[in-house]
């Protein structure tokens, strides 16, 4: 699972503009290779019943999510997942690794 996380982080580290910059074909090739490797790894996971989930906007569930911090956001309902720092994984219908998240905190009145 850590390998999948690292591949995802590597792809996200390159800005979108740099991915399509014709002046740097080596970077384009590197990003393409990282994305293809990540895609293949996720296919192997799926063949074995493992799926990734990113719960942004879902109601916080302590069985599927591990809360790391609270976020103040009046535009969202308290107790919902606002930020995902690490994706979660399921093995068929069981949690293999909970998603590490930031949760919208309740209004202070």
């Amino acid at each position: 699972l850590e390998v999948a996380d690292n591949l995802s982080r590597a792809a996200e580290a390159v800005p979108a503009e740099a991915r399509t910059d014709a002046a740097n074909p080596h970077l384009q090739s590197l990003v393409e290779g990282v994305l293809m490797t990540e895609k293949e790894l996720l296919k192997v996971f799926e063949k074995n019943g493992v799926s990734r989930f990113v719960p942004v906007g879902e109601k916080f569930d302590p069985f599927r999510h591990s809360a790391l911090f609270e976020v103040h956001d009046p535009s969202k309902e308290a107790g919902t997942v606002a930020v995902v720092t690490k994706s979660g994984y399921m093995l068929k219908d069981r949690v293999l690794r909970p998603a590490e998240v930031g949760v919208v905190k309740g209004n202070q009145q």
Side-chain angles (χ1 to χ4, degrees):
L1 301 180
E2 294 300 320
V3 172
D5 292 339
N6 288 335
L7 288 170
S8 182
R9 276 189 219 106
E12 291 170 5
V14 179
E17 313 84 55
R19 293 180 188 191
T20 57
D21 185 7
N24 198 344
H26 298 297
L27 181 60
Q28 285 179 322
S29 295
L30 178 64
V31 171
E32 185 178 326
V34 168
L35 291 172
M36 289 182 349
T37 304
E38 180 185 27
K39 184 178 176 182
E40 287 301 313
L41 180 61
L42 293 175
K43 272 192 212 175
V44 170
F45 282 176
E46 263 190 49
K47 281 183 186 176
N48 291 286
V50 176
S51 59
R52 176 169 43 184
F53 66 94
V54 181
V56 173
E58 292 181 11
K59 192 79 175 154
F60 177 75
D61 178 354
F63 296 106
R64 292 177 32 120
H65 311 135
S66 177
L68 300 180
F69 55 91
E70 289 184 314
V71 176
H72 177 71
D73 188 347
S75 69
K76 295 182 180 169
E77 184 182 342
T80 58
V81 175
V83 179
V84 176
T85 59
K86 215 179 218 186
S87 300
Y89 287 87
M90 302 285 290
L91 176 58
K92 301 197 188 312
D93 61 343
R94 301 180 73 176
V95 176
L96 187 58
R97 181 180 80 188
E100 294 182 1
V101 300
V103 180
V104 178
K105 67 177 167 181
N107 295 333
Q108 303 293 329
Q109 301 209 5

